[in-house]
Amino acid sequence: MRAFADIAEEYEFLDSDDRYRLLIELGRELEPMPDALKTDATLVRGCSAQVWVYPTGDTARLHFLADSNAAITKGVVALIIAAVQDKPAAEVAAMDVAAALAPFDLANQLSSNRTQGLPNMIALVQAHAARIAGAAA
């Protein structure tokens, strides 16, 4: 997966059609998520598409697997994952992920249908991080 800063830099210089293409490309670059992990427990609630997020790793280096059945939504979750991937669990739990995503202006770039689940995706990632960070304490 590309570094979040690299994605942000590239995104900034693209027009809206190319931004869609970049999101789709990011979704395609996600590590494959085994179907066995796509369960009710890993499903993000409140999304128009199905989205799954599963944490791996440990408190020092939290790693996520994610998938969606919709290309743009998969790109959005890939963007969220890129912002937090391989960071310490406590850092992810305390991070302002919405602020990190602000330069992407997703609310104005995508339809409300595609962004309605964004806060829930962020909340699930941070809940996983908080649980893992707390388990180590």
Side-chain angles (χ1 to χ4, degrees):
M1 177 169 269
R2 301 178 210 188
F4 186 73
D6 293 343
I7 297 167
E9 186 177 326
E10 182 178 351
Y11 192 87
E12 181 181 347
F13 294 103
L14 298 174
D15 66 25
S16 51
D17 284 346
D18 287 334
R19 286 177 173 181
Y20 273 105
R21 285 195 258 308
L22 177 61
L23 285 173
I24 291 168
E25 195 176 305
L26 290 174
R28 288 184 183 137
E29 292 173 6
L30 277 174
E31 289 176 62
M33 183 177 188
D35 286 341
L37 297 178
K38 297 175 188 172
T39 66
D40 198 51
T42 61
L43 185 68
V44 179
R45 308 277 180 239
C47 294
S48 57
Q50 290 185 301
V51 180
W52 301 271
V53 175
Y54 183 81
T56 65
D58 56 31
T59 59
R61 187 172 175 262
L62 191 55
H63 193 83
F64 287 93
L65 298 176
D67 200 0
S68 176
N69 65 345
I72 295 288
T73 305
K74 188 172 180 174
V76 171
V77 76
L79 189 59
I80 294 167
I81 298 304
V84 302
Q85 196 72 294
D86 299 329
K87 294 185 183 210
E91 182 180 328
V92 173
M95 185 178 174
D96 188 344
V97 179
L101 296 176
F104 293 89
D105 196 23
L106 294 174
N108 290 317
Q109 297 294 324
L110 305 172
S111 69
S112 61
N113 225 19
R114 290 198 169 115
T115 57
Q116 71 183 12
L118 190 64
N120 296 354
M121 290 180 217
I122 293 169
L124 184 61
V125 163
Q126 291 192 293
H128 283 314
R131 180 179 47 78
I132 291 166

